[in-house]
Amino acid sequence: MKFIQTIAFTSTQEDALRALAGDWDSQNLGDAPGYIGSKILKDRDRENAYLVIAEFETYEQAMENSARPETDAMAKQMAALVEGAPTFTNYDVIDEQTP
């Protein structure tokens, strides 16, 4: 069953966040267990509010990825770019529609 984790936060450093996400994908896409990809969403109604959607093949692979030193290093870099503590939410994909 696919798994999605969302990370909600505020930041005034959009360019740095986008660069960090791009670096992560280019350096880890093949190495991160079960990692499918991610999206960064910018809230249209709340200034400087963002949501990251990270998709994995399974919850277990996502947790394995979370334990990697590379993931910890990226999380620390991200924490330096956001205001306050990010909010993490975990979801199992129970239905998926594709065109």
Side-chain angles (χ1 to χ4, degrees):
M1 175 180 303
K2 284 186 182 177
F3 173 78
I4 291 176
Q5 183 174 71
T6 64
I7 309 163
F9 57 88
T10 59
S11 177
T12 58
Q13 301 189 56
E14 179 179 336
D15 291 339
L17 287 165
R18 292 175 71 180
L20 179 61
D23 288 347
W24 169 257
D25 276 355
S26 67
Q27 295 172 13
N28 292 282
L29 195 56
D31 297 330
Y35 179 66
I36 296 171
S38 64
K39 295 176 177 61
I40 301 176
L41 310 177
K42 184 175 184 178
D43 193 315
R44 292 178 143 276
D45 301 318
R46 294 183 307 131
E47 187 173 9
N48 300 323
Y50 296 87
L51 181 70
V52 173
I53 299 172
E55 188 172 0
F56 294 86
E57 289 293 336
T58 68
Y59 170 80
E60 292 76 18
Q61 288 175 314
M63 295 304 102
E64 182 181 341
N65 180 64
S66 291
R68 296 174 64 228
E70 298 89 340
T71 304
D72 184 58
M74 190 271 297
K76 288 177 180 171
Q77 290 176 310
M78 184 180 162
L81 299 174
V82 305
E83 287 88 42
T87 302
F88 294 83
T89 310
N90 300 313
Y91 299 91
D92 291 323
V93 177
I94 61 168
D95 188 35
E96 188 171 16
Q97 305 298 316
T98 57

